Amino acid sequence: MYIIMIVICICFIALLCLLIFFILKHILYNIIDHQIERFQSDLIEKQVQEIQSMYKQVRGWRHDYRNHIQNMKIILDNGNYDKLNSYLNELSTDLNTVDTVIKTGNVMADAILNSKLSIAEKSNIRLNIKANVPEMLPISDVELCSILGNMLDNSIEACNSLPQNERFLRVYIGKLKGQLYLSIQNSAGTVRKDKNTYLSTKSGEHGYGIFRIDRIVKKYHGYINRQNEEGIFATEILIPLDF
């Protein structure tokens, strides 16, 4: 009888400990989710500011469009073709800095990609981009932008830690075997890793970006693979489109 009571007590304590563990785990995940939500809000606000800056440049160029046309007519009337050629070259360079060259089929993805890649160009990062987002997605636009924004921020930061002649960024987005496929490769120096888990090189709350990406991919039963070789870091994500 005494032994039975001991066994019952041990089982009760074990169940109590298990219950406490799940409660603490739930509380911890709620805390992390709130931290991510706050970080995500800051991230979206930052991306909106970047997009607004890009659109402001476009509006400024359009505002000057008529003046440019008038100036070129005057130069042409004077027969100064060398000056006209120089003027056109300057306009071409100026327009390239604000032209939205990436059109994926998804407006939000276009905005995030173009704003981030504009930043990358200013950092003299060589770009190779091919992106086509399927029309119907299981994930929301906010979640897609969260994945892209975090991945590109990490890639640009990694590139900026290297000499300019070593910086490159490759982005591919498309449909692969009935899945949304995202691939980003970038030049990289030091990579932080704990066993099989890659860690952010950023300090503070910025490390939530990787956690956020993983949570979204897991939520939609997707697959994520991160690899690094000498001088290159690559991330691949697959998310099923059959929903």
Side-chain angles (χ1 to χ4, degrees), residues 38 62 76 86 94 118 121 179 181 197 217 228:
R38 184 159 61 88
R62 286 177 177 174
L76 185 61
S86 177
D94 186 41
S118 175
E121 286 180 339
Q179 301 182 89
Y181 178 66
T197 303
V217 173
N228 73 290

Side-chain angles (χ1 to χ4, degrees), residues 43 47 108-109 112 140-150:
L43 176 65
Q47 290 169 343
M108 288 293 288
I112 293 299
S140 69
D141 284 343
V142 172
E143 289 170 325
L144 176 62
C145 289
S146 176
I147 291 175
L148 290 174
N150 281 306

Side-chain angles (χ1 to χ4, degrees), residues 14-51:
L15 288 172
L16 183 61
C17 290
L18 188 62
L19 179 62
I20 292 172
F21 169 76
F22 281 113
I23 291 174
L24 290 176
K25 182 180 179 182
H26 179 72
I27 293 172
L28 178 61
Y29 269 78
N30 280 339
I31 293 173
I32 292 175
D33 281 337
H34 284 309
Q35 293 280 5
I36 290 175
E37 184 179 354
R38 184 159 61 88
F39 168 70
Q40 188 63 40
S41 177
D42 293 340
L43 176 65
I44 292 174
E45 183 180 350
K46 177 184 175 184
Q47 290 169 343
V48 168
Q49 291 173 352
E50 292 168 357
I51 295 165

Side-chain angles (χ1 to χ4, degrees), residues 82-99:
D82 289 338
K83 186 175 180 179
L84 179 61
N85 183 62
S86 177
Y87 194 93
L88 286 170
N89 287 334
E90 288 180 15
L91 285 180
S92 177
T93 301
D94 186 41
L95 182 58
N96 285 336
T97 64
V98 298
D99 188 25

